[in-house]
Amino acid sequence: MTTVSTSAAPATPMINRDRIVDWLGIAPFMIFAAMFLIIPTLYLVAGAFLTPEGDLTLKNIADLFTPSILSAYWISIKVSVASALGGALIGFFLAWAVVLGGLPNWVRSGLLTFSGVASNFAGVPLAFAFLATLGRTGLVTVLMRDWFGFNLYSTGFNLLSFLGLTLTYMYFQIPLMVLILTPALDGMKKEWKEAAQILGATNGQYWRMVAFPILWPSLMGTTLLLFANAFGAIATAYALTGSSLNIVPILLYAQIRGDVLHNPNLGYALALGMIVITGLSNLLYILLRMRAERWQK
């Protein structure tokens, strides 16, 4: 009886159909990101170092340090910092109240639902809402004047100013802080507070020595994200103040549209400066978020 030995045939590489389907699933997102984010950003960066005729130059970058442009950047930074700090402070206490404050669950669900809507409510509708509420003939302004005899604008308040724009920005900054910080507060383990109490720590010592050091990366990271969110906003500021408040997004819009000197390449340089500032803010946010997530694992 003879034995026939058969050798295994060499395995041929097979195309993983599931992997192809996965890549096809994210293809629309990648195409969208490339067309509306990556390619335009590269175009702006390249245009910042070119003249209108297409020659290389550093004049556009040097023009960023002129007094008028530096003033626009400074105003934008002040508005962004003020709205980010105000939104972070109020948003933190709101998130703390619904997560750790013992409020009913319906309050939490209602606040988070409102925050999801309000964090995306910006542009012309938001500007109109504040004009109709706190404008010179707004509802709240008229009620305070007729019912309480208090003229808000006699105190020097002006909605079309730095303070007014900051208050308007805080309308969507506070809800965004609530949405981002709520998961971080949910990640605070009860065992940490119980262990601190067993060791004799008071509630204040627990927050100062345990809770805040853990939450600090999340708080700082979210504040930086709020800063970047406000720094790039234009629709609300333009609809509310027009050109009365010279912030960078409005200056950039006017420069590219041709209202000033019709030098789009200087507008590209302005956009490059905004990309650098917001990019650094987002990078620091990502690093701080990665550090904060270590405690939530």
Side-chain angles (χ1 to χ4, degrees):
M1 182 176 181
T2 60
T3 304
V4 179
S5 61
T6 58
S7 58
T12 58
M14 299 293 292
I15 299 177
N16 192 332
R17 295 183 179 180
D18 293 337
R19 183 61 58 84
I20 295 177
V21 173
D22 293 341
W23 281 105
L24 288 176
I26 66 171
F29 168 76
M30 296 176 65
I31 295 173
F32 181 86
M35 292 180 60
F36 295 97
L37 181 62
I38 299 175
I39 295 176
T41 300
L42 295 177
Y43 180 78
L44 289 174
V45 173
F49 296 95
L50 297 175
T51 64
E53 293 76 21
D55 299 325
L56 289 174
T57 182
L58 293 177
K59 186 177 183 303
N60 298 322
I61 304 299
D63 288 343
L64 294 180
F65 297 93
T66 57
S68 60
I69 294 179
L70 285 178
S71 175
Y73 272 104
W74 179 237
I75 294 174
S76 295
I77 290 174
K78 288 195 297 182
V79 171
S80 301
V81 169
S83 64
L85 292 178
L89 182 63
I90 299 175
F92 167 75
F93 284 109
L94 281 175
W96 176 85
V98 298
V99 176
L100 303 175
L103 294 178
N105 289 331
W106 64 268
V107 176
R108 169 174 175 156
S109 60
L111 177 62
L112 293 180
T113 301
F114 171 79
S115 297
V117 176
S119 62
N120 293 286
F121 185 70
V124 177
L126 179 60
F128 174 77
F130 267 81
L131 286 172
T133 304
L134 290 175
R136 289 189 177 272
T137 58
L139 177 62
V140 173
T141 305
V142 172
L143 290 178
M144 293 175 65
R145 183 191 62 199
D146 295 345
W147 289 11
F148 302 101
F150 177 73
N151 189 346
L152 179 63
Y153 280 79
S154 65
T155 63
F157 173 80
N158 186 3
L159 187 62
L160 312 182
S161 64
F162 168 82
L163 178 59
L165 185 60
T166 301
L167 290 175
T168 306
Y169 277 6
M170 286 176 61
Y171 182 87
F172 56 80
Q173 296 280 62
I174 295 172
L176 184 59
M177 182 71 176
V178 172
L179 290 176
I180 298 177
L181 195 61
T182 296
L185 291 173
D186 280 330
M188 298 290 294
K189 298 180 180 180
K190 296 181 179 179
E191 292 83 355
W192 298 340
K193 186 173 184 178
E194 293 173 354
Q197 291 175 342
I198 292 173
L199 294 174
T202 63
N203 189 53
Q205 290 174 328
Y206 163 73
W207 276 98
R208 187 175 69 253
M209 299 179 181
V210 180
F212 272 120
I214 295 174
L215 291 174
W216 185 249
S218 297
L219 290 171
M220 285 297 299
T222 308
T223 304
L224 288 170
L225 184 63
L226 296 182
F227 170 84
N229 187 44
F231 190 81
I234 178 175
T236 301
Y238 189 78
L240 184 68
T241 65
S243 58
S244 61
L245 196 63
N246 190 32
I247 62 175
V248 176
I250 293 179
L251 183 62
L252 170 61
Y253 175 71
Q255 189 70 51
I256 293 179
R257 197 175 65 171
D259 291 350
V260 186
L261 298 175
H262 192 57
N263 182 5
N265 294 89
L266 178 58
Y268 299 155
L270 287 168
L272 177 60
M274 294 182 63
I275 290 172
V276 171
I277 293 175
T278 55
L280 289 175
S281 299
N282 286 316
L283 178 61
L284 291 174
Y285 163 71
I286 293 173
L287 294 176
L288 289 170
R289 181 178 177 180
M290 293 172 58
R291 181 177 178 181
E293 287 176 349
R294 298 176 185 173
W295 292 96
Q296 298 177 1
K297 292 181 179 179

